[in-house]
């Protein structure tokens, strides 16, 4: 299968949008899609948790009213999810987080949050809406894992970090999931007051969540295909030798990113199918949390 259509789609999606370029900012179509997708998904999650909370109150016949929602609280949760992982890993790598030297990205998320909050009614999550959006999620996540996370690591001024595959994979894991970990730990998404609790990632089978293991997996695959670090070039050569192949050459970054996007789209569609019962689960797999 040719990757050229997906490469062309990426090239079009990452072209800066004229209204924003007039102000000297490079905001592309893919950025806007990712921003509004996240804001809408978070609102749907909050509304779903609120409905469950109300049902639990009625079922248990107890008084535990939900706290009135605050735009500031919801915005803090959004910004924590987006930039929390970067804020954690940045000091460890000696890199200034992006939100410290430019307010364009935080401002874009805040504006999108305000727009989404003023939409009267949003449809609840369903298989018919989430399945096609899972494909979109695959392409936006590939942009993060392949084009945004690796460059600061592999171009680091310290050779110990620049050549370290562990630093690359750990950065991918933390940047992608660190924000969700913090918001889950402080119950930002719940309708109740903030309370310290065990994040879903630390609960039984929490590590099986798709978002957690796909982050280092896809970043590692991209590094393997593009020979982003000497380790990955040697590893690629060892795999080729073991399979009795010839000399391997690195794949160009755009093709590797497109391939990773297709793999992520398949994985996210599988997660959605599991969540909505389209794929039958039995035994131990029933305990596996796909999120």
């Amino acid at each position: 299968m040719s990757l050229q259509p997906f490469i062309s789609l990426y090239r079009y999606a990452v072209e800066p949008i004229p209204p924003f370029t007039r102000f000297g900012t490079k905001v592309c179509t893919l950025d806007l899609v990712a921003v509004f997708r996240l804001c809408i998904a978070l609102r749907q999650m909050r509304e779903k948790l609120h409905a469950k909370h109300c049902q639990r109150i009625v079922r248990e016949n107890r008084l535990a009213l939900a706290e009135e929602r605050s735009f500031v609280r919801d915005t803090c949760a959004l910004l924590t999810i987006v930039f929390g992982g970067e804020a954690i890993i940045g000091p460890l790598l000696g890199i200034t987080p992006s939100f410290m030297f430019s307010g364009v990205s935080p401002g874009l998320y805040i504006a999108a949050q305000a727009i989404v909050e003023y939409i009267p009614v949003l449809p609840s999550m369903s298989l018919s809406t989430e399945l096609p959006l899972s494909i979109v999620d695959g392409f936006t996540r590939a942009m993060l894992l392949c084009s945004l996370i690796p460059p600061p690591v592999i171009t680091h001024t310290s050779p110990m970090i620049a050549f370290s595959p562990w630093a690359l994979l750990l950065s991918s894991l933390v940047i992608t999931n660190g924000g969700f970990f913090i918001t889950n730990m402080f119950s930002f998404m719940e309708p109740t007051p903030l309370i310290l609790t065990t994040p879903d990632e630390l609960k039984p089978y929490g590590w099986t969540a798709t978002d957690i293991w796909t982050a280092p997996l896809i970043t590692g695959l991209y590094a393997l295909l593009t020979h982003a670090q000497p380790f990955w070039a040697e590893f690629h050569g060892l795999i080729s030798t073991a399979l009795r192949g010839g000399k391997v050459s690195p794949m160009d970054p755009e093709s590797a990113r497109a391939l990773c996007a297709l793999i992520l789209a398949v994985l996210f569609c599988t997660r959605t199918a599991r969540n909505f019962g389209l794929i039958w689960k039995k035994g131990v797999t029933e305990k596996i949390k796909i999120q």
Side-chain angles (χ1 to χ4, degrees), residues 221 224 232-246 248:
L221 176 61
L224 177 71
W232 300 107
E234 295 176 5
F235 189 36
H236 199 180
L238 289 175
I239 295 176
S240 178
T241 301
L243 297 178
R244 300 181 182 278
V248 291

Side-chain angles (χ1 to χ4, degrees), residues 6 20 32 60 64 71 115 117 120 141 144 164 177 187 205 216 235 247 256 271:
F6 304 103
F20 293 96
L32 292 180
E60 299 177 1
F71 176 78
I115 293 173
E117 285 300 313
R141 185 62 58 86
L144 172 67
S164 171
N177 298 284
S187 307
Y205 294 94
F235 189 36
K247 183 179 179 181
R271 173 184 63 182

Side-chain angles (χ1 to χ4, degrees), residues 34-54:
V35 168
F36 279 96
R37 163 61 171 158
L38 178 59
C39 291
I40 292 174
L42 291 180
R43 177 176 165 180
Q44 291 173 321
M45 290 171 58
R46 289 194 299 268
E47 292 177 349
K48 182 178 180 180
L49 290 171
H50 184 273
K52 285 185 176 181
H53 179 76
C54 294

Side-chain angles (χ1 to χ4, degrees), residues 90-285:
L92 299 179
L93 296 176
I95 299 174
T96 304
S98 61
F99 59 86
M100 289 299 297
F101 54 81
S102 175
V104 173
S105 187
L108 186 61
Y109 276 98
I110 295 173
Q113 173 74 8
I115 293 173
V116 170
E117 285 300 313
Y118 276 99
I119 299 176
V121 179
L122 287 178
S124 59
M125 291 183 176
S126 64
L127 180 63
S128 59
T129 58
E130 290 300 308
L131 196 59
L133 286 174
S134 296
I135 300 175
V136 177
D137 292 340
F139 280 82
T140 56
R141 185 62 58 86
M143 188 70 182
L144 172 67
L145 299 178
C146 301
S147 299
L148 299 180
I149 293 178
V153 177
I154 62 180
T155 60
H156 200 279
T157 55
S158 171
M160 293 184 63
I161 294 178
F163 297 154
S164 171
W166 173 248
L168 180 62
L169 299 183
L170 184 61
S171 298
S172 178
L173 175 66
V174 174
I175 291 175
T176 305
N177 298 284
F180 282 103
F181 184 88
I182 297 172
T183 53
N184 289 336
M185 183 168 63
F186 289 101
S187 307
F188 264 106
M189 302 300 297
E190 296 290 339
T192 56
L194 296 182
I195 184 174
L196 191 64
T197 186
T198 304
D200 292 337
E201 293 82 356
L202 298 184
K203 293 179 180 178
Y205 294 94
W207 59 271
T208 62
T210 305
D211 286 330
I212 293 180
W213 56 267
T214 53
L217 174 67
I218 295 301
T219 299
L221 176 61
Y222 176 80
L224 177 71
L225 295 175
T226 60
H227 298 181
Q229 295 170 316
F231 168 83
W232 300 107
E234 295 176 5
F235 189 36
H236 199 180
L238 289 175
I239 295 176
S240 178
T241 301
L243 297 178
R244 300 181 182 278
K247 183 179 179 181
V248 291
S249 301
M251 183 181 291
D252 69 275
E254 287 187 326
S255 298
R257 183 179 61 189
L259 178 60
C260 290
L262 291 176
I263 294 174
L264 280 169
V266 172
L267 292 174
F268 287 162
C269 285
T270 303
R271 173 184 63 182
T272 300
R274 284 180 178 272
N275 286 345
F276 289 95
L278 189 61
I279 298 179
W280 182 53
K281 296 179 288 185
K282 182 179 179 181
V284 176
T285 58

Side-chain angles (χ1 to χ4, degrees), residues 80-91:
T80 301
I81 289 172
V82 176
F83 300 108
E86 186 181 357
I88 295 173
I89 206 68

